[in-house]
Amino acid sequence: MILVTGATGPLGKAVVEFLLKKTPAVNIAALVRDPAKAEDLKAQGVDIRQGDYNDYASLVKAFTSIDKLYLVSGNDLPNRAAQQASVVRAAKQAGVKHILYTSFQRKNETASSPISFVSLSHLSTEKAIKESGLTYTILKHTLYADIIPLFIGDKVLETGVIFQPAGEGQVTYATRSDMAEAAANILTGEGHENKVYEIAGNQAVSYAEIAKIISEITGKSINYVSPTPEVFKEELTKAGVPDMYIGLFSGFSEGVRQGEFDVTNPTLGTLLGRQPTSVKEYLQTIYS
Ligand code: NAP
């Protein structure tokens, strides 16, 4: 029996949907905080189990009779390391055999990383998993291609400008859907025990290249401007963007500038048995 956490979020839900194409629903369970949000999965025969990363007893109960657990990293960044350590302990106590974890690509593993606010909790979770003695598969996810529209903003076609302090940094984006399909293939396949996989696309692109692609798709002239981090923060503050988001966008852009997500690796294509969706193909679904 396979259990997918975060199954009412886009990634976990997509994993369950790919699993449903590969194995009978009777083999699939989903951990959700709010079962009302999982009625569609329940209707397809998925075993819906209520639980919260903050509630240890709920996790042990939900993980009963589960062989493989797909742990979707949480989004409560300050509490994530402790929450996920609790998930790993509960998995061990409940007798889970194999845990897959959606970790993150990075080069700098120290607190000086511009994305330490996300990377340190991923690192501590990887450590907890390895120390637990559970069989594991660590999926080092690159940035989702799906976040490009979020980062460049919904007014990009009006302003004609992508404004991010990322310099010439490149990212090997992959779509969330491809990552989910690859995960379903691992969960229903064999030979993935105690492996660490780089889950990335096969072409690194910069914001300048993204601007060119969107220009080609839309016929509108889009230019990339890379301000200094200070000017970026000033402009976002003037536009009324909350400090928390300014910190997040600044950190990720600096990570991009430093090449944290510039890792080209064939693993995703191998897991999919085809080429991963390219950034251009993904952006066509959004802007054409
Ligand atoms: P998402 O929309 O933030 O979904 C997160 C999922 O985790 C939701 O289903 C949420 O449950 C669940 N969750 C959060 N806190 C929980 C808790 N305390 N107990 C149980 N479940 C909890 O994100 P997503 O797009 O599906 O992506 C999954 C994860 O990937 C994110 O959480 C984040 O860590 C990471 N991420 C990666 C990238 C990237 O570019 N690589 C981008 C964004 C996010 P509810 O449905 O109840 O809210």
Side-chain angles (χ1 to χ4, degrees):
M1 184 100 175
I2 298 166
L3 181 135
V4 176
T5 76
T8 46
L11 177 66
K13 187 165 187 187
V15 172
V16 174
E17 282 167 354
F18 279 112
L19 283 173
L20 283 165
K21 293 179 190 162
K22 301 181 72 72
T23 187
V26 69
N27 297 327
I28 309 170
L31 182 89
V32 302
R33 287 195 281 197
D34 178 4
K37 285 169 71 183
E39 288 296 335
D40 54 337
L41 297 179
K42 190 178 172 190
Q44 294 179 79
V46 175
D47 182 357
I48 304 302
R49 300 185 181 189
Q50 202 279 333
D52 190 309
Y53 299 162
N54 293 312
D55 177 353
Y56 184 78
S58 75
L59 297 173
V60 176
K61 189 164 172 239
F63 297 162
T64 305
S65 74
I66 298 301
D67 303 300
K68 292 185 188 177
L69 170 68
Y70 179 79
L71 170 56
V72 169
S73 52
N75 48 16
D76 176 2
L77 295 178
N79 298 310
R80 180 160 78 172
Q83 288 177 334
Q84 295 178 169
S86 187
V87 172
V88 175
R89 273 199 313 278
K92 181 92 179 162
Q93 187 178 333
V96 169
K97 295 182 183 70
H98 186 164
I99 184 164
L100 282 78
Y101 175 60
T102 64
S103 193
F104 212 62
Q105 237 180 48
R106 70 275 164 172
K107 289 182 179 159
N108 179 352
E109 296 200 340
T110 74
S112 69
S113 163
I115 52 157
S116 61
F117 57 94
V118 292
S119 61
L120 295 181
S121 50
H122 281 306
L123 290 169
S124 77
T125 303
E126 287 186 16
K127 188 165 177 277
I129 289 171
K130 288 178 180 169
E131 287 176 357
S132 73
L134 289 166
T135 299
Y136 62 84
T137 310
I138 305 291
L139 305 165
K140 289 170 70 180
H141 282 178
T142 185
L143 292 183
Y144 300 159
D146 313 60
I147 64 164
I148 296 172
L150 181 79
F151 273 76
I152 66 181
D154 55 6
K155 298 210 168 42
V156 67
L157 298 186
E158 287 164 44
T159 62
V161 174
I162 293 177
F163 187 72
Q164 286 288 323
E168 294 307 310
Q170 295 188 312
V171 176
T172 46
Y173 296 98
T175 65
R176 185 159 43 200
S177 176
D178 279 357
M179 295 185 190
E181 185 175 345
N185 291 348
I186 295 172
L187 286 162
T188 53
E190 284 172 9
H192 305 291
E193 292 78 14
N194 299 333
K195 297 269 170 64
V196 178
Y197 290 143
E198 302 280 348
I199 303 292
N202 51 11
Q203 188 197 2
V205 294
S206 64
Y207 277 119
E209 286 157 315
I210 289 172
K212 191 162 166 270
I213 294 169
I214 299 175
S215 300
E216 282 165 11
I217 294 170
T218 61
K220 293 186 177 158
S221 174
I222 310 291
N223 294 300
Y224 170 49
V225 174
S226 179
T228 62
E230 294 73 26
V231 168
F232 180 70
K233 283 177 194 163
E234 272 167 36
E235 291 298 319
L236 264 62
T237 305
K238 268 192 242 162
V241 176
D243 280 353
M244 192 187 87
Y245 290 105
I246 297 177
L248 193 125
F249 288 134
S250 300
F252 273 99
S253 274
E254 181 58 19
V256 171
R257 198 185 65 76
Q258 293 183 15
E260 287 289 303
F261 316 104
D262 185 359
V263 178
T264 307
N265 189 289
T267 304
L268 179 58
T270 305
L271 291 167
L272 292 170
R274 61 169 168 82
Q275 289 296 314
T277 308
S278 69
V279 168
K280 184 169 186 179
E281 286 164 336
Y282 174 74
L283 291 176
Q284 267 162 344
T285 68
I286 304 296
Y287 295 106
S288 64

